[in-house]
Amino acid sequence: MRRHILLPVLLLASALAGSAVADTRFLAFDARDRTTQALTRGVTLEVARGLFGATEVRNLFSSTSRGSARFSQGGPDGVRRVLPAGASDGGIYEIVQEGDGRGLARALCPGSDAAWMVIGRVRAGRPMSMQAVGRWSDGGYRHCVQLNYDYRGEWATQQGAGPARDTPAAYGPN
């Protein structure tokens, strides 16, 4: 009988501890190669980190100019199927087609109807690569570009503050 009570109590405690330990970080990256520099220069990612180290990328901010894009986690399986051989596996994030997100999607995958980013594990102090994949009007998915970044640093923020205080209200509170 005690075993049946103990399991729900442990699960509840784990969930409560997860929300207490989870945090949001703003990690900045510099373009590592010419292609990446031509398309994005530097970026700052808003990363939510969970209890067990899982990360979710929520937003992308331009580190060198005004601009931001919101991400929606998840995407179709067709995105993974078109990644080039040797591309790092990671989370799939749809670029939300609002505000600057539309411009980012068009810059990365010109002519596509929708665009996704496949982002490997985002960690402070480590380089990062992102794969852009688009879906065209014929329903086909195509790999667009690989973006490579070197870690630059982490923004020091106060509770509720972000690196781009001018972001539109659609991207949530800053």
PDB file of all heavy atoms in Angstrom, residues 30-42 146-149:
ATOM      1  N   ASP A  30      28.487  33.967 -32.151  1.00  0.00           N
ATOM      2  CA  ASP A  30      29.024  34.698 -33.303  1.00  0.00           C
ATOM      3  C   ASP A  30      29.115  33.761 -34.497  1.00  0.00           C
ATOM      4  O   ASP A  30      29.410  32.572 -34.351  1.00  0.00           O
ATOM      5  CB  ASP A  30      30.428  35.232 -33.003  1.00  0.00           C
ATOM      6  CG  ASP A  30      30.414  36.359 -31.991  1.00  0.00           C
ATOM      7  OD1 ASP A  30      29.438  37.130 -31.960  1.00  0.00           O
ATOM      8  OD2 ASP A  30      31.394  36.476 -31.228  1.00  0.00           O
ATOM      9  N   ALA A  31      28.896  34.317 -35.690  1.00  0.00           N
ATOM     10  CA  ALA A  31      29.002  33.531 -36.916  1.00  0.00           C
ATOM     11  C   ALA A  31      30.417  32.980 -37.070  1.00  0.00           C
ATOM     12  O   ALA A  31      31.388  33.688 -36.856  1.00  0.00           O
ATOM     13  CB  ALA A  31      28.638  34.394 -38.115  1.00  0.00           C
ATOM     14  N   ARG A  32      30.522  31.709 -37.423  1.00  0.00           N
ATOM     15  CA  ARG A  32      31.824  31.060 -37.562  1.00  0.00           C
ATOM     16  C   ARG A  32      32.342  31.091 -38.992  1.00  0.00           C
ATOM     17  O   ARG A  32      33.545  31.056 -39.218  1.00  0.00           O
ATOM     18  CB  ARG A  32      31.728  29.606 -37.099  1.00  0.00           C
ATOM     19  CG  ARG A  32      33.081  28.924 -37.101  1.00  0.00           C
ATOM     20  CD  ARG A  32      33.064  27.456 -36.732  1.00  0.00           C
ATOM     21  NE  ARG A  32      32.144  27.157 -35.666  1.00  0.00           N
ATOM     22  CZ  ARG A  32      31.538  25.998 -35.526  1.00  0.00           C
ATOM     23  NH1 ARG A  32      31.730  25.034 -36.401  1.00  0.00           N
ATOM     24  NH2 ARG A  32      30.714  25.784 -34.539  1.00  0.00           N
ATOM     25  N   ASP A  33      31.462  31.152 -39.982  1.00  0.00           N
ATOM     26  CA  ASP A  33      31.910  31.107 -41.377  1.00  0.00           C
ATOM     27  C   ASP A  33      31.227  32.204 -42.193  1.00  0.00           C
ATOM     28  O   ASP A  33      30.342  32.890 -41.712  1.00  0.00           O
ATOM     29  CB  ASP A  33      31.660  29.716 -41.980  1.00  0.00           C
ATOM     30  CG  ASP A  33      30.221  29.273 -41.859  1.00  0.00           C
ATOM     31  OD1 ASP A  33      29.312  30.084 -42.119  1.00  0.00           O
ATOM     32  OD2 ASP A  33      29.990  28.101 -41.503  1.00  0.00           O
ATOM     33  N   ARG A  34      31.658  32.343 -43.448  1.00  0.00           N
ATOM     34  CA  ARG A  34      31.166  33.431 -44.306  1.00  0.00           C
ATOM     35  C   ARG A  34      29.672  33.309 -44.621  1.00  0.00           C
ATOM     36  O   ARG A  34      28.955  34.302 -44.645  1.00  0.00           O
ATOM     37  CB  ARG A  34      31.964  33.460 -45.604  1.00  0.00           C
ATOM     38  CG  ARG A  34      33.401  33.872 -45.381  1.00  0.00           C
ATOM     39  CD  ARG A  34      34.123  33.896 -46.682  1.00  0.00           C
ATOM     40  NE  ARG A  34      33.696  35.117 -47.366  1.00  0.00           N
ATOM     41  CZ  ARG A  34      34.508  35.914 -48.014  1.00  0.00           C
ATOM     42  NH1 ARG A  34      35.775  35.614 -48.106  1.00  0.00           N
ATOM     43  NH2 ARG A  34      34.056  36.991 -48.589  1.00  0.00           N
ATOM     44  N   THR A  35      29.203  32.093 -44.847  1.00  0.00           N
ATOM     45  CA  THR A  35      27.791  31.892 -45.154  1.00  0.00           C
ATOM     46  C   THR A  35      26.927  32.336 -43.981  1.00  0.00           C
ATOM     47  O   THR A  35      25.951  33.066 -44.152  1.00  0.00           O
ATOM     48  CB  THR A  35      27.516  30.415 -45.490  1.00  0.00           C
ATOM     49  OG1 THR A  35      28.324  30.039 -46.598  1.00  0.00           O
ATOM     50  CG2 THR A  35      26.050  30.182 -45.810  1.00  0.00           C
ATOM     51  N   THR A  36      27.297  31.908 -42.796  1.00  0.00           N
ATOM     52  CA  THR A  36      26.544  32.265 -41.596  1.00  0.00           C
ATOM     53  C   THR A  36      26.593  33.774 -41.368  1.00  0.00           C
ATOM     54  O   THR A  36      25.582  34.399 -41.042  1.00  0.00           O
ATOM     55  CB  THR A  36      27.099  31.513 -40.377  1.00  0.00           C
ATOM     56  OG1 THR A  36      27.081  30.109 -40.652  1.00  0.00           O
ATOM     57  CG2 THR A  36      26.285  31.798 -39.127  1.00  0.00           C
ATOM     58  N   GLN A  37      27.757  34.369 -41.573  1.00  0.00           N
ATOM     59  CA  GLN A  37      27.896  35.811 -41.368  1.00  0.00           C
ATOM     60  C   GLN A  37      27.050  36.583 -42.375  1.00  0.00           C
ATOM     61  O   GLN A  37      26.452  37.602 -42.037  1.00  0.00           O
ATOM     62  CB  GLN A  37      29.353  36.224 -41.471  1.00  0.00           C
ATOM     63  CG  GLN A  37      29.571  37.670 -41.090  1.00  0.00           C
ATOM     64  CD  GLN A  37      31.035  38.015 -40.995  1.00  0.00           C
ATOM     65  OE1 GLN A  37      31.894  37.295 -41.494  1.00  0.00           O
ATOM     66  NE2 GLN A  37      31.328  39.132 -40.366  1.00  0.00           N
ATOM     67  N   ALA A  38      26.963  36.102 -43.591  1.00  0.00           N
ATOM     68  CA  ALA A  38      26.170  36.791 -44.607  1.00  0.00           C
ATOM     69  C   ALA A  38      24.673  36.746 -44.295  1.00  0.00           C
ATOM     70  O   ALA A  38      23.938  37.677 -44.618  1.00  0.00           O
ATOM     71  CB  ALA A  38      26.423  36.166 -45.980  1.00  0.00           C
ATOM     72  N   LEU A  39      24.227  35.670 -43.637  1.00  0.00           N
ATOM     73  CA  LEU A  39      22.798  35.517 -43.367  1.00  0.00           C
ATOM     74  C   LEU A  39      22.361  36.057 -42.005  1.00  0.00           C
ATOM     75  O   LEU A  39      21.267  36.613 -41.884  1.00  0.00           O
ATOM     76  CB  LEU A  39      22.405  34.043 -43.482  1.00  0.00           C
ATOM     77  CG  LEU A  39      22.443  33.480 -44.896  1.00  0.00           C
ATOM     78  CD1 LEU A  39      22.289  31.967 -44.884  1.00  0.00           C
ATOM     79  CD2 LEU A  39      21.333  34.116 -45.729  1.00  0.00           C
ATOM     80  N   THR A  40      23.179  35.866 -40.977  1.00  0.00           N
ATOM     81  CA  THR A  40      22.711  36.230 -39.635  1.00  0.00           C
ATOM     82  C   THR A  40      23.727  36.969 -38.774  1.00  0.00           C
ATOM     83  O   THR A  40      23.354  37.476 -37.721  1.00  0.00           O
ATOM     84  CB  THR A  40      22.284  34.986 -38.844  1.00  0.00           C
ATOM     85  OG1 THR A  40      23.419  34.150 -38.646  1.00  0.00           O
ATOM     86  CG2 THR A  40      21.178  34.234 -39.542  1.00  0.00           C
ATOM     87  N   ARG A  41      24.969  36.996 -39.152  1.00  0.00           N
ATOM     88  CA  ARG A  41      26.037  37.552 -38.316  1.00  0.00           C
ATOM     89  C   ARG A  41      26.045  36.865 -36.962  1.00  0.00           C
ATOM     90  O   ARG A  41      26.475  35.763 -36.852  1.00  0.00           O
ATOM     91  CB  ARG A  41      25.926  39.054 -38.199  1.00  0.00           C
ATOM     92  CG  ARG A  41      26.085  39.717 -39.537  1.00  0.00           C
ATOM     93  CD  ARG A  41      26.328  41.159 -39.415  1.00  0.00           C
ATOM     94  NE  ARG A  41      26.442  41.712 -40.759  1.00  0.00           N
ATOM     95  CZ  ARG A  41      27.154  42.744 -41.031  1.00  0.00           C
ATOM     96  NH1 ARG A  41      27.802  43.364 -40.098  1.00  0.00           N
ATOM     97  NH2 ARG A  41      27.208  43.183 -42.263  1.00  0.00           N
ATOM     98  N   GLY A  42      25.530  37.498 -35.937  1.00  0.00           N
ATOM     99  CA  GLY A  42      25.487  36.871 -34.621  1.00  0.00           C
ATOM    100  C   GLY A  42      24.052  36.736 -34.148  1.00  0.00           C
ATOM    101  O   GLY A  42      23.174  37.491 -34.563  1.00  0.00           O
ATOM    102  N   GLN A 146      23.232  25.429 -43.749  1.00  0.00           N
ATOM    103  CA  GLN A 146      23.740  25.129 -42.407  1.00  0.00           C
ATOM    104  C   GLN A 146      24.397  26.387 -41.866  1.00  0.00           C
ATOM    105  O   GLN A 146      25.215  27.006 -42.535  1.00  0.00           O
ATOM    106  CB  GLN A 146      24.770  23.999 -42.437  1.00  0.00           C
ATOM    107  CG  GLN A 146      25.369  23.727 -41.061  1.00  0.00           C
ATOM    108  CD  GLN A 146      26.291  22.519 -41.050  1.00  0.00           C
ATOM    109  OE1 GLN A 146      25.992  21.523 -41.684  1.00  0.00           O
ATOM    110  NE2 GLN A 146      27.383  22.618 -40.326  1.00  0.00           N
ATOM    111  N   LEU A 147      24.022  26.762 -40.649  1.00  0.00           N
ATOM    112  CA  LEU A 147      24.596  27.925 -39.983  1.00  0.00           C
ATOM    113  C   LEU A 147      25.477  27.446 -38.843  1.00  0.00           C
ATOM    114  O   LEU A 147      25.066  26.590 -38.059  1.00  0.00           O
ATOM    115  CB  LEU A 147      23.485  28.836 -39.441  1.00  0.00           C
ATOM    116  CG  LEU A 147      22.461  29.315 -40.470  1.00  0.00           C
ATOM    117  CD1 LEU A 147      21.322  30.043 -39.785  1.00  0.00           C
ATOM    118  CD2 LEU A 147      23.130  30.196 -41.505  1.00  0.00           C
ATOM    119  N   ASN A 148      26.694  27.983 -38.763  1.00  0.00           N
ATOM    120  CA  ASN A 148      27.658  27.552 -37.748  1.00  0.00           C
ATOM    121  C   ASN A 148      28.053  28.737 -36.872  1.00  0.00           C
ATOM    122  O   ASN A 148      28.373  29.812 -37.395  1.00  0.00           O
ATOM    123  CB  ASN A 148      28.912  26.973 -38.419  1.00  0.00           C
ATOM    124  CG  ASN A 148      28.564  25.789 -39.286  1.00  0.00           C
ATOM    125  OD1 ASN A 148      28.041  24.796 -38.813  1.00  0.00           O
ATOM    126  ND2 ASN A 148      28.824  25.898 -40.578  1.00  0.00           N
ATOM    127  N   TYR A 149      28.058  28.507 -35.570  1.00  0.00           N
ATOM    128  CA  TYR A 149      28.321  29.579 -34.622  1.00  0.00           C
ATOM    129  C   TYR A 149      29.339  29.153 -33.564  1.00  0.00           C
ATOM    130  O   TYR A 149      29.423  27.981 -33.201  1.00  0.00           O
ATOM    131  CB  TYR A 149      27.032  29.970 -33.890  1.00  0.00           C
ATOM    132  CG  TYR A 149      25.973  30.514 -34.795  1.00  0.00           C
ATOM    133  CD1 TYR A 149      24.974  29.699 -35.313  1.00  0.00           C
ATOM    134  CD2 TYR A 149      25.962  31.862 -35.146  1.00  0.00           C
ATOM    135  CE1 TYR A 149      24.001  30.199 -36.145  1.00  0.00           C
ATOM    136  CE2 TYR A 149      24.985  32.368 -35.985  1.00  0.00           C
ATOM    137  CZ  TYR A 149      24.004  31.533 -36.479  1.00  0.00           C
ATOM    138  OH  TYR A 149      23.049  32.033 -37.313  1.00  0.00           O
TER     139      TYR A 149
END
